[in-house]
Structure formats: structure tokens, C-alpha cells
RNA sequence: GCCCUCUUAGCUCAGUUGGAUAGAGCAACAGACUUCUAAUCUGUAGGUCGCGCGUUCGAUUCGCGCAGAGGGCGCCA
């Protein structure tokens, strides 16, 4: 539609001998009273032509030839906008796509053929997922879904930092918990992992190994072999916990990458040699540094400590090179604001190695806080407040938790209102949307009873174009027609929060229509079938939208 | 001290490349169910878009400065 109007405007400009036309916009005005589409072209020409925008607009409008296009009226606003009113027939034709495409309605192919890796959560295997991970988990999953909706082949990837100091600390913590089963006074390591889950793991360990690894005394240092056993036992158990949490949260990863494998496969060594060969790393104070400041970072960074151990950065950089070798067109990393300072460092590293600008994209989301009874809740194990993601899901349900985490723009802080989340009522936006789906599903028996079911399974008869003329109906149709472009906009911007807003608007328009007009009207078969057709379009779009968010569309509530 | 993000109605937040009279939900107030699910609908009220300057036909949107909130500035991960 936009294209048709743009061509017409371009022709009109040529006819008026206006050359080097500026980049004007054709868009949907906020206020429906201003028509369906509008252009600002006259404003942009005002300067060069030294005429008032309104005058120019009048001339252009006069030269427009739109007879063949589905444009009902062209109006010139007093200030200079040119407004176009589209025939309702146009939207009705587009509406047919909802039924024709069904579950595929809203999808497009603008990223067809692209391979994209989305890395998110990547929580270290030192404990179960907390509510803090929830936002990132949903954000990553929904961004992935959106990219898939645009035709991309997406790899959801989780990176486990299962090497390094913290894993040793995890092993020590397990060992201490284990020792305490026999000697409650056994000392716990400073900065050890205090979570209760380690007590359970220690019990399981004891059940398997008995007292075999019981330390003789608190002072006894375990050998490397013993440490490895504790470390790997804990990591394995915790990985299973995390898997279960993610499954509960309905998130499926395609690939789990292990930091430890980067070492065992020599990737870290290779990278180190490469950096040295290219002269972008150097030795200083007994450590190896990356000359990151030459590539946009604020300072140089240590990649191998003077102790000889690599820092976290080095294997992570190696990991990204492996990603690139796996021939992804784009890599997207999702991180919390607490890691945002790390992004420039990684970008500098990629730049230093000559990888294409823009290949790696970061989505940084702000932190989440929880409120209850109007007060901020501090999550703590000791206070008995739920801290794990699994507990939150049990408390409010997976659909609600996912919806709340994704409904805000990543840039802004998210306030998770637990009271609202728990409410199973109209105030809760999740149910408001889901109710639309359930309500429409419940129409089927009524329609069958009235003898309006056409017998074809799962499908209502073709819509009679132009039959539905109530204002609520034309608005609803116009909104349904916008869904594909909304998905595209949200996907390209990596901003899934647009979807909940769209769905709430859809729900509002549907409920209003439903309240004011009967769908199934006794004795009026044609009208009823047309309305059932529209209702079913709403149902499909609602279901498709919720699916993008990983939220169920219930048939009954 | 330096860097990043944010600041829009009482609260929580949208606002799609700068557009017309700035929107929604919740809370508040007033109404609507003999009818397909009231988990619904209708209406009222609510604003210095943090503050100031600049860019221009036009700024919530772009630039600079200031204030406030959160986060980051390790040979931690």
C-alpha cells in the first residue's frame, strides 16, 4: 500500500517538475481522524521551494493520480500533511491471509537463509537458576523466536563456564558440606557457595561414596585427583538442576558449549599464539595483555595472569572465534547490566582479530526488582523468600512469569509486581489476553448448536467482503492486518516487548466488540458466520502472538 | 573521578527511523450482566514528557550541559 502511494507521489512530483525530492515518509498517523496513511513530503520541500507547506501539499495533491489504487480520499491538512484514506476493502483482502496462512500468519522471510546464534543465560554451574536469570532467559528465548519468525535459522546457545577458579571453589564447598555430614564443625571455605542445594548434593555424594573421601582433618589439603572428583560431581549435579529449571520454564537450548572443551581442544592455546603472531598481545609485569585500547576499548586487558592462568576473557574470546568458524551470519549475546562493561572488551577483541563490524551484537538488559504489598522484596534464602526461578514459576505460573519478564523494554529496569502476578483476574494482563482465546473457543459449541457450523473441520466459511461494518469491526480488522509488520519491526530491533503491547491492544479491541455485538445471532446465519470468521481470525493472531512469547493459548479458563 | 542505561499521569510503563490535540494498564470515582464465559464492557478525572540551552517549519524523540536512579570501571567470573 505504501509503495503504491509512494509511486503516485513520485509521479506527481515529476509532473510538477520538482527534482531531487527529499527522503519523505509515508506512515500511519497516530490519530485515525487523519486518515490511514500520511506523508510529510510538503514540509521537506518548504525550504527549497520557499513556499508554505500547505500550498505545496495542495499542488501535489492536485497532481496525484490514484484512480486505480484503493484510496478513497486524499485530504490536505491545514498544516501541510497529505492524508490518504484507504478503502476498507483493502484490509479485508489482507484479512484473508490470516485464515490462509494460519499458524504461519505473521511470519516473513526477510531473514531467510541467515544463520544466527543467540547466547543467553550462560549462568555458571555453581547453583540453580535464580529469579534474576528469568528475565534474560525469556528475553533470549523470545528474541530467538522472533528471528525464527523472520525466517532465520536460530541456534539457542548456552555457554558454561565450567573451568577456572569458581569451579574449584565449588568443589571445595561440596567437600566441606560432605565433611560436615560427619563432623559438623568442619570449616567452610571463605567465599564458598553457601546455598542449601549443596547440602543435598553432599548427601547424594555420601550415599554414593560413603566415607571414602572423608578428610582426615580440616587442615588436610585434598589432592588434585580428589578435588576433581568433588568438582565434577557438583558441576554435573548442578547442570542437571539448571536443565530442569530451564525445561520447567519452557526454554530449549540447541547447543551447550563448555569452556572446558575450549581448553581440551586447544582453542585457547591457538588463540594465544595467533594474538602473539599478529602482535596484538604483549607481555608486561609477568602477564600477557591484549592491546584492546587500540581497538576501541578503554584500556588494555590481561588475558593470562602472571600466575600463568588465563583470565575469563581469553577462553571467551576463543569461544567467539569458534562461533564465527561455525559460520553464523550474526551472533547475538544477551547479558545483564552487571556485565555491560564487558561488551566493549569483547567487541575490541573481535575487531583486533579482524572480524566484521556488526557481526556480534549485544543486548543488555537492566536489572529486575520485585515488589510485594507495595514494598520492594529483597530475595534471600535465609528469609525464606523464593530466590529460584523454579519457585517463582510454582508461585505465579510459567505463563505469567514469562509474560512479566518480557513485557518491558530491555533498556528499562523491570519491576516485577508479585501481587499482580498472583492475581487470577482481569487486572493481570496475561489472563486478559488468554481470555480472548478461551472466549472465542467457547463460541464453537454455541455456533454448532445454532446450526451455523459449516461442517468443514476447524474452519468457518469464507467471509463475505464488506459485510462487517461496525466501527469495532473495522478497527479490529485493521489491527489484525498490522500483525506481520509488527513482528518484523520487533524482530529486527530485537525488541520482543512490542508483542505483549500489541496483544493487549488486540484483546481490548476484541472484548469491546464482543461486549457490544453478539457473534452468534439466532436466525441470522450470514451475519453470524461473518462474525465467527472474524472472531476466528482474532483467535489465530492471539495464539500466534502468544506462541512467539512461549505462552499457552488456553481453550478454556 | 570516568563510562553505560534510565527519568513520560498517583503507581507500572508504551511511544516503530523528528510530525498534527503525548497514550495504555493498574489505582480513584461513576455506571452496565433474564443473552455466545463479567477473567468483560462504558464513562470521568489525572501531564512543566526530570531541568536548561541548542539544532529547525516542527523536539518526548537529535546534540550539549546539569540533577536524580540503577549498573559498571580487577592479573574476579
Amino acid at each position: 500500500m505504501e509503495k503504491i502511494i509512494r509511486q503516485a507521489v513520485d509521479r506527481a512530483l515529476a509532473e510538477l517538475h520538482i527534482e531531487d525530492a527529499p527522503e519523505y515518509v509515508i506512515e500511519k498517523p497516530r490519530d485515525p481522524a487523519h486518515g490511514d496513511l500520511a506523508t510529510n513530503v510538503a514540509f521537506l520541500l518548504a525550504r527549497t521551494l520557499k513556499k508554505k507547506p500547505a500550498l505545496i501539499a495542495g499542488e501535489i495533491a492536485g497532481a496525484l493520480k490514484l484512480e486505480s489504487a484503493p484510496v478513497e480520499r486524499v485530504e490536505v491538512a491545514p498544516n501541510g500533511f497529505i492524508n490518504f484514506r484507504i478503502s476498507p476493502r483493502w484490509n479485508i483482502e489482507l484479512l484473508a491471509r490470516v485464515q490462509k496462512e494460519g499458524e504461519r500468519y505473521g511470519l516473513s522471510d526477510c531473514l531467510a537463509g541467515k544463520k544466527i546464534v543467540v547466547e543467553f543465560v550462560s549462568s555458571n554451574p555453581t547453583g540453580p537458576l535464580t529469579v534474576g536469570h528469568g528475565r534474560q532467559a525469556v528475553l533470549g528465548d523470545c528474541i530467538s523466536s522472533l528471528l525464527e519468525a523472520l525466517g532465520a535459522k536460530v541456534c539457542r546457545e548456552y555457554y558454561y563456564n565450567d573451568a577456572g577458579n569458581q569451579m574449584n571453589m565449588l568443589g571445595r564447598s561440596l567437600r566441606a558440606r560432605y565433611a560436615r555430614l560427619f563432623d559438623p564443625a568442619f570449616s567452610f571455605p571463605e567465599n564458598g557457595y553457601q546455598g542449601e542445594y549443596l547440602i543435598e548434593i553432599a548427601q547424594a555424594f555420601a550415599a554414593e561414596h560413603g566415607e571414602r573421601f572423608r578428610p582426615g582433618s580440616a587442615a588436610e589439603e585434598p589432592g588434585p585427583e580428589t578435588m576433581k572428583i568433588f568438582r565434577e560431581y557438583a558441576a554435573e549435579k548442578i547442570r542437571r538442576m539448571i536443565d530442569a529449571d530451564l525445561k520447567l520454564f519452557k526454554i530449549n537450548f540447541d547447543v551447550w558449549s563448555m569452556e572446558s572443551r575450549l581448553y581440551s581442544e586447544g582453542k585457547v592455546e591457538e588463540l594465544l599464539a595467533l594474538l602473539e603472531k599478529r602482535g596484538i598481545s604483549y607481555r608486561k609485569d609477568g602477564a600477557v595483555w591484549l592491546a584492546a585500547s587500540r581497538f576501541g576499548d578503554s584500556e588494555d586487558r590481561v588475558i593470562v595472569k602472571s600466575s600463568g592462568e588465563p583470565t575469563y576473557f581469553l577462553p571467551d574470546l576463543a569461544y567467539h572465534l569458534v562461533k564465527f568458524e561455525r559460520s553464523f551470519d550474526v551472533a547475538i549475546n544477551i547479558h545483564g547490566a552487571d556485565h555491560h562493561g564487558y561488551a566493549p572488551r569483547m567487541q575490541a577483541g573481535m575487531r583486533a582479530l579482524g572480524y566484521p563490524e556488526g557481526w556480534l551484537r549485544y543486548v543488555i538488559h537492566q536489572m529486575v526488582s520485585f515488589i510485594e504489598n507495595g514494598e520492594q522484596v529483597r530475595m534471600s534464602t535465609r528469609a525464606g523468600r523464593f530466590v529460584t526461578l523454579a519457585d517463582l514459576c510454582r508461585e505465579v505460573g510459567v505463563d505469567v512469569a514469562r509474560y512479566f519478564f518480557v513485557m518491558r523494554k530491555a533498556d528499562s529496569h523491570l519491576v516485577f509486581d508479585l501481587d499482580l502476578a498472583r492475581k487470577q483476574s482481569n487486572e493481570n494482563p496475561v489472563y486478559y489476553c488468554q481470555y480472548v482465546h478461551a472466549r472465542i473457543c467457547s463460541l464453537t459449541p454455541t455456533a454448532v448448536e445454532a446450526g451455523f457450523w459449516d461442517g468443514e473441520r476447524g474452519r468457518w466459511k469464507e467471509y463475505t467482503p464488506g459485510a462487517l461494518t461496525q466501527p469495532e469491526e473495522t478497527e479490529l480488522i485493521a489491527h489484525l492486518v498490522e500483525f506481520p509488520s509488527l513482528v518484523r519491526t520487533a524482530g529486527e530491533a530485537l525488541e520482543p516487548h512490542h508483542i505483549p503491547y500489541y496483544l493487549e491492544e488486540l484483546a481490548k479491541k476484541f472484548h469491546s466488540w464482543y461486549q457490544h455485538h453478539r457473534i452468534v445471532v439466532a436466525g441470522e446465519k450470514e451475519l453470524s458466520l461473518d462474525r465467527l470468521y472474524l472472531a476466528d481470525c482474532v483467535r489465530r493472531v492471539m495464539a500466534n502472538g502468544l506462541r512467539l512469547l512461549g505462552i499457552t493459548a488456553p481453550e478454556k479458563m
Side-chain angles (χ1 to χ4, degrees):
Chain A
M1 192 66 235
E2 254 185 70
K3 277 185 205 157
I4 299 173
I5 291 179
R6 186 173 289 274
Q7 284 166 4
V9 170
D10 285 342
R11 276 200 303 274
L13 290 175
E15 197 157 309
L16 294 168
H17 304 291
I18 297 169
E19 278 153 36
D20 53 274
E23 291 265 323
Y24 59 93
V25 177
I26 293 173
E27 63 183 357
K28 189 187 164 207
R30 282 183 193 164
D31 187 343
H34 296 129
D36 300 299
L37 285 173
T39 178
N40 63 346
V41 64
F43 290 98
L44 303 171
L45 288 166
R47 199 170 194 191
T48 45
L49 297 180
K50 301 215 166 72
K51 276 197 272 191
K52 286 190 175 163
L55 277 173
I56 302 167
E59 288 172 21
I60 295 172
L64 278 172
K65 294 198 179 76
L66 279 163
E67 289 77 20
S68 57
V71 174
E72 276 194 337
R73 216 165 50 227
V74 178
E75 293 157 346
V76 176
N79 55 7
F81 273 100
I82 305 174
N83 298 329
F84 303 90
R85 214 163 280 277
I86 315 284
S87 158
R89 294 289 286 257
W90 179 257
N91 275 348
I92 284 162
E93 280 173 41
L94 290 176
L95 186 65
R97 286 178 55 193
V98 179
Q99 293 296 336
K100 206 173 112 200
E101 296 173 20
E103 289 192 353
R104 299 192 52 80
Y105 181 69
L107 310 191
S108 63
D109 56 1
C110 52
L111 291 181
K114 296 283 181 197
K115 270 183 73 183
I116 302 177
V117 57
V118 181
E119 181 201 332
F120 58 109
V121 185
S122 295
S123 166
N124 300 332
T126 55
L129 294 181
T130 68
V131 285
H133 297 111
R135 186 178 196 185
Q136 187 169 136
V138 177
L139 194 55
D141 194 40
C142 292
I143 286 175
S144 300
S145 298
L146 279 173
L147 293 171
E148 283 170 341
L150 302 191
K153 179 146 176 46
V154 176
C155 178
R156 288 171 173 80
E157 185 147 329
Y158 192 118
Y159 177 55
Y160 264 127
N161 293 119
D162 61 341
N165 281 335
Q166 54 174 359
M167 296 311 294
N168 289 327
M169 184 53 78
L170 180 70
R172 284 180 180 279
S173 302
L174 175 62
R175 179 171 172 265
R177 285 297 186 195
Y178 168 72
R180 280 189 175 192
L181 296 176
F182 311 105
D183 172 15
F186 192 89
S187 66
F188 199 76
E190 205 180 332
N191 302 323
Y193 293 97
Q194 311 242 10
E196 295 199 4
Y197 55 91
L198 267 185
I199 298 177
E200 287 169 31
I201 295 174
Q203 283 161 351
F205 186 89
E208 266 180 58
H209 297 288
E211 298 191 23
R212 221 175 107 211
F213 296 99
R214 182 177 172 180
S217 72
E220 181 191 305
E221 272 297 308
E225 285 304 308
T226 310
M227 275 313 301
K228 191 178 172 211
I229 286 165
F230 279 110
R231 195 174 62 221
E232 290 184 354
Y233 190 89
E236 171 61 24
K237 283 278 192 239
I238 291 173
R239 270 205 300 274
R240 286 196 193 164
M241 291 170 77
I242 292 175
D243 287 358
D245 289 348
L246 289 168
K247 201 171 175 187
L248 177 67
F249 212 40
K250 294 201 290 187
I251 292 175
N252 295 305
F253 281 93
D254 302 297
V255 171
W256 305 76
S257 285
M258 304 281 180
E259 183 187 4
S260 54
R261 286 192 59 180
L262 294 166
Y263 286 101
S264 61
E265 291 174 4
K267 296 293 181 188
V268 178
E269 286 296 315
E270 275 175 38
L271 172 62
L272 201 54
L274 179 68
L275 291 171
E276 195 181 346
K277 197 176 115 196
R278 296 213 186 158
I280 46 188
S281 67
Y282 60 90
R283 287 191 160 273
K284 194 181 87 176
D285 303 332
V288 182
W289 298 66
L290 179 76
S293 62
R294 276 164 40 197
F295 302 95
D297 199 4
S298 55
E299 54 193 293
D300 290 352
R301 305 291 178 176
V302 172
I303 49 178
V304 181
K305 301 183 229 175
S306 51
S307 66
E309 293 169 54
T311 63
Y312 169 81
F313 182 37
L314 182 63
D316 202 19
L317 192 51
Y319 169 49
H320 283 81
L321 297 194
V322 171
K323 271 188 198 170
F324 191 86
E325 285 166 6
R326 286 159 60 202
S327 70
F328 289 108
D329 298 292
V330 178
I332 296 169
N333 285 358
I334 300 177
H335 286 293
D338 53 342
H339 282 69
H340 84 266
Y342 186 70
R345 187 184 310 188
M346 183 58 70
Q347 296 286 17
M350 297 307 285
R351 212 172 284 135
L353 287 159
Y355 287 93
E357 202 69 25
W359 178 79
L360 178 61
R361 286 177 74 179
Y362 275 87
V363 174
I364 306 292
H365 66 87
Q366 297 299 313
M367 302 280 108
V368 183
S369 57
F370 290 80
I371 61 163
E372 190 170 28
N373 301 321
E375 284 179 18
Q376 186 158 343
V377 182
R378 201 160 280 284
M379 295 287 169
S380 83
T381 323
R382 237 179 305 149
R385 293 297 322 161
F386 47 78
V387 282
T388 70
L389 188 56
D391 286 342
L392 179 70
C393 289
R394 277 187 281 272
E395 180 90 12
V396 303
V398 175
D399 285 340
V400 172
R402 288 186 66 115
Y403 192 96
F404 275 53
F405 278 128
V406 77
M407 72 177 164
R408 301 297 178 222
K409 181 170 60 177
D411 279 340
S412 46
H413 296 223
L414 171 60
V415 177
F416 196 114
D417 185 337
L418 289 164
D419 299 312
L420 182 61
R422 269 192 286 260
K423 272 184 194 158
Q424 302 212 356
S425 75
N426 52 336
E427 295 160 39
N428 193 324
V430 188
Y431 299 123
Y432 186 69
C433 291
Q434 290 182 320
Y435 186 47
V436 170
H437 194 268
R439 241 184 172 181
I440 296 170
C441 289
S442 78
L443 288 171
T444 305
T446 314
V448 171
E449 204 174 313
F452 292 164
W453 183 252
D454 71 352
E456 199 181 329
R457 192 156 52 93
R459 181 154 182 167
W460 301 100
K461 88 166 203 359
E462 289 303 315
Y463 174 64
T464 314
L468 297 179
T469 54
Q470 296 291 337
E472 290 89 349
E473 289 159 350
T474 46
E475 267 196 48
L476 203 43
I477 292 167
H479 198 245
L480 291 171
V481 158
E482 276 174 42
F483 185 62
S485 66
L486 174 97
V487 173
R488 185 173 173 160
T489 308
E492 285 175 344
L494 309 179
E495 290 179 343
H497 73 276
H498 293 296
I499 306 291
Y501 277 92
Y502 173 90
L503 295 180
E504 280 177 52
E505 189 67 29
L506 177 62
K508 189 179 172 181
K509 288 185 194 307
F510 169 76
H511 286 313
S512 181
W513 176 52
Y514 185 93
Q515 188 78 17
H516 289 99
H517 306 283
R518 281 193 65 83
I519 312 297
V520 179
V521 188
E524 296 214 37
K525 188 171 181 184
E526 284 304 309
L527 177 66
S528 298
L529 287 175
D530 286 335
R531 287 189 172 162
L532 283 163
Y533 179 89
L534 177 57
D536 199 57
C537 290
V538 174
R539 182 189 63 77
R540 281 188 186 279
V541 172
M542 181 58 76
N544 290 359
L546 288 172
R547 186 167 355 98
L548 284 172
L549 303 177
I551 294 175
T552 61
E555 294 186 6
K556 275 184 190 167
M557 285 175 75

